[in-house]
């Protein structure tokens, strides 16, 4: 559904500042119906990348394909027509204060020339879908942050898009509202058959809703893939970000890093090391989470005992499907650093209209 091939975006030098390479050779594929995430720190190129998908920013080089159309081969009119299949949700809602919740959802349909009866029907259905049927007459100032974002999602769905882009859609929300909005995005993806690309710097968001993800840093893809594969991949920077294991000082025992899954749970690992082979085992750090609907964990163990028996134990665990690695203090990939946003270097963020192109619908 979405294909980016070696996409590069360079903002030219301006007012004495050097040019900024915001996206640097990104290749990305999102399948039809997939919920994909793009994650990384501020300044990693995430927001620029999402704007390249619907050509709100034209790439300096590379190809962008959405729903079978090569957008980078189209002229501006062609891009506007193709963009009608793409809805977009922003961090700060972009609602019109002068309109009610229903009026905000109805606005793009008015611009598209949809007849009044059809507009009202579609608005009612969308507000019901996002759980705000009883707040149709409320203005944005009367809504909470989570409710405003629900209105923004309903508005993005008004044109019945095939793709939904979410640029930091939960970053301005409290934890409870974030959970509700993520659950709503899961629901609309399932009910409407959408393909969703979500931009975020929050790993908890990726764990909660994404099927796959890529990790960006300095405009480049550092790691990525289906989360169920990433979390069982040795030395994965994205896995280290999704399920971090805290750094520990060296101790008396050997350090072993273990990835546990539903098929290879932590109980089996501990029984093999301690119960069957008599090794002393201490859990010194780790985390266990539900990711992509499945249970995963990464544990750091300190194991004391005969090295020969430890090697036998590790091989037995590997033969049983567990990902186990000997570790040394400090060998876990460090967190990706935080840098300035590209636009902070003199490139202004292009204006975003309240309403993107909406198809005309017969009255």
């Amino acid at each position: 559904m979405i294909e980016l091939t070696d996409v590069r975006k360079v903002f030219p030098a301006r007012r004495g500042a050097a040019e900024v390479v915001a996206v640097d050779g990104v290749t990305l594929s999102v399948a039809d119906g997939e919920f994909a995430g793009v994650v990384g720190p501020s300044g990693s190129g995430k927001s620029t990348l999402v704007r390249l998908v619907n050509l709100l920013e034209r790439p300096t080089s590379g190809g962008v394909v959405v729903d079978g159309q090569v957008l980078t081969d189209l002229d501006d009119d062609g891009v506007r027509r193709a963009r009608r299949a793409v809805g977009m949700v922003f961090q700060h809602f972009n609602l019109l204060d002068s309109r009610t919740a229903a009026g905000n959802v109805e606005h793009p349909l008015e611009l598209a020339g949809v007849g009044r009866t059809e507009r009202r029907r579609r608005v009612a259905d969308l507000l019901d879908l996002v759980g705000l049927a009883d707040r149709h007459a409320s203005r944005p100032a009367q809504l909470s942050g989570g409710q405003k974002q629900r209105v923004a999602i309903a508005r993005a769905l008004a044109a019945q898009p095939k793709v939904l882009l979410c640029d930091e859609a939960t970053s301005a929300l409290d934890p409870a509202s974030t959970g509700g909005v993520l659950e709503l995005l899961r629901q609309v993806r399932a009910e409407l058959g959408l393909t969703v690309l979500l931009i975020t710097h929050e790993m908890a968001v990726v764990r909660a809703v994404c099927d796959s993800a890529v990790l960006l840093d300095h405009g480049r893809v550092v790691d990525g893939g289906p989360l169920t594969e990433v979390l069982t991949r040795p030395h994965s920077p994205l896995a280290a970000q999704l399920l971090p294991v805290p750094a520990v000082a060296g101790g008396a025992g050997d350090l072993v890093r273990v990835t546990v899954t539903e098929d290879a749970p932590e109980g089996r690992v501990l029984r093999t090391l301690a119960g069957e082979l008599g090794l002393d085992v201490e859990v010194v750090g780790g985390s266990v989470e539900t990711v992509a609907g499945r249970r995963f964990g990464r544990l750091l163990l300190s194991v004391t005992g005969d090295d020969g028996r430890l090697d036998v134990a590790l091989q037995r665990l590997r033969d049983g499907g567990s990902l186990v690695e000997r570790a040394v203090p400090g060998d876990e990939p460090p967190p990706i650093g935080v840098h300035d946003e590209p636009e902070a270097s003199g490139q202004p963020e292009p204006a975003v209209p309240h309403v993107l192109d909406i198809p005309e619908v017969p009255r």
Side-chain angles (χ1 to χ4, degrees):
M1 178 59 75
I2 301 173
E3 296 281 347
L4 275 62
T5 305
D6 199 20
V7 169
R8 201 163 186 266
K9 178 62 181 180
V10 180
F11 291 103
R14 186 173 173 182
R15 292 197 293 270
E19 70 177 19
V20 175
V21 182
V23 174
D24 192 7
V26 168
T27 294
L28 171 68
S29 178
V30 182
D32 188 13
E34 188 174 3
F35 204 129
V38 177
V39 67
S42 297
S44 60
K46 305 185 304 297
S47 290
T48 300
L49 181 65
V50 76
R51 297 171 68 84
L52 293 171
V53 172
N54 59 5
L55 262 64
L56 285 175
E57 289 281 0
R58 275 196 175 269
T60 305
S61 61
V64 177
V65 179
V66 177
D67 193 24
Q69 284 194 294
V70 184
L71 300 191
T72 40
D73 287 348
L74 302 177
D75 60 17
D76 289 347
D77 286 341
V79 168
R80 279 191 289 270
R81 289 191 294 271
R83 197 181 287 151
R84 295 166 183 170
V86 181
M88 193 160 184
V89 181
F90 304 96
Q91 177 179 0
H92 295 298
F93 323 130
N94 290 349
L95 300 181
L96 298 172
D97 293 334
S98 61
R99 284 179 169 251
T100 63
N104 270 280
V105 179
E106 187 176 7
H107 188 218
L109 299 174
E110 291 175 356
L111 296 178
V114 179
R116 180 176 179 178
T117 301
E118 175 63 14
R119 290 200 314 263
R120 298 293 171 84
R121 183 196 66 79
R122 197 178 303 180
V123 168
D125 288 346
L126 287 168
L127 288 176
D128 183 59
L129 177 64
V130 301
L132 290 179
D134 60 339
R135 302 305 300 270
H136 67 280
S138 299
R139 297 189 184 275
Q142 299 170 305
L143 301 174
S144 69
Q147 290 170 334
K148 291 176 186 177
Q149 195 60 290
R150 287 171 179 268
V151 174
I153 291 170
R155 183 185 59 193
L157 298 174
Q160 301 172 320
K162 297 180 180 179
V163 173
L164 186 64
L165 305 179
C166 302
D167 187 7
E168 298 281 10
T170 61
S171 294
L173 304 179
D174 60 75
S177 297
T178 293
V181 168
L182 293 177
E183 181 57 39
L184 174 61
L185 290 173
R186 267 196 302 246
Q187 175 190 344
V188 299
R189 188 276 294 260
E191 292 188 12
L192 303 180
L194 296 174
T195 300
V196 182
L197 182 63
L198 183 145
I199 307 299
T200 184
H201 65 276
E202 301 171 286
M203 290 294 174
V205 170
V206 177
R207 290 195 297 266
V209 296
C210 291
D211 305 311
S212 65
V214 295
L215 175 62
L216 288 187
D217 188 38
H218 289 88
R220 290 179 171 271
V221 174
V222 177
D223 194 10
L227 297 187
T228 53
E229 294 180 11
V230 166
L231 289 170
T232 55
R233 183 185 301 157
H235 311 297
S236 165
L238 181 53
Q241 302 291 321
L242 286 166
L243 295 176
V245 176
V248 297
D254 292 297
L255 291 177
V256 176
R257 187 181 297 109
V258 180
T259 298
V260 297
T261 67
E262 294 170 347
D263 298 326
E266 59 268 31
R268 180 190 303 171
V269 172
L270 297 177
R271 283 195 302 273
T272 299
L273 293 173
E276 297 180 21
L277 295 169
L279 298 166
D280 293 325
V281 181
E282 178 186 3
V283 179
V284 296
S287 57
V288 178
E289 301 277 358
T290 298
V291 182
R294 297 180 60 188
R295 189 168 177 271
F296 288 90
R298 298 177 76 243
L299 306 178
L300 189 63
L301 309 178
S302 177
V303 183
T304 305
D306 178 78
D307 270 357
R309 283 192 292 169
L310 176 57
D311 289 336
V312 170
L314 297 184
Q315 189 57 52
R316 183 180 299 181
L317 289 169
R318 293 187 187 106
D319 292 342
S322 296
L323 174 60
V324 292
E325 309 164 87
R326 281 185 178 266
V328 297
D331 74 340
E332 181 79 351
I336 301 296
V338 177
H339 356 284
D340 293 333
E341 293 284 359
E343 55 267 24
S345 62
Q347 302 300 334
E349 179 75 6
V352 178
H354 283 290
V355 180
L356 300 181
D357 301 286
I358 305 296
E360 292 188 6
V361 178
R363 296 176 185 271

